[in-house]
Amino acid sequence: MYRQTKNYENLQKRIFDGVGEYGIPQIIQPTTYQECEWIGFNYARSEKNRAGKGVHFFLDDYQFSVCWQNLMEYAGQL
């Protein structure tokens, strides 16, 4: 049973109010970008010095599936 439903894990966590014809989520508070060094999620888990680094997910899916499967565990770290 789990094998058929695992692709739908955490879908309830991605429901946001959307605007416009396509229901795209609106960013209400402005954000600013600070220059940083970007590291892949697969390296972020073992990174000793995380200060000033951003994490990207431009990786093969298997590299960050652990994050998707344990979302609440990794949310605080990111």
Side-chain angles (χ1 to χ4, degrees):
M1 180 66 171
Y2 174 73
R3 191 174 187 137
Q4 285 100 12
T5 61
K6 72 179 185 175
N7 290 333
Y8 300 102
E9 291 176 342
N10 298 321
L11 287 182
Q12 74 282 4
K13 292 182 173 67
R14 69 163 183 82
I15 299 172
F16 302 99
D17 292 332
V19 297
E21 180 180 354
Y22 300 106
I24 297 172
Q26 181 180 16
I27 298 173
I28 297 173
Q29 296 179 347
T31 59
T32 56
Y33 172 73
Q34 286 184 295
E35 285 288 327
C36 65
E37 176 186 350
W38 291 96
I39 57 175
F41 175 75
N42 53 334
Y43 293 113
R45 294 187 294 159
S46 61
E47 179 64 38
K48 302 285 187 241
N49 183 14
R50 295 180 184 173
K53 295 190 171 121
V55 177
H56 71 75
F57 288 84
F58 292 100
L59 307 163
D60 290 326
D61 289 352
Y62 78 91
Q63 295 279 16
F64 61 88
S65 63
V66 67
C67 181
W68 183 252
Q69 294 165 354
N70 301 298
L71 191 59
M72 298 314 291
E73 178 182 334
Y74 288 99
Q77 296 176 23
L78 298 174

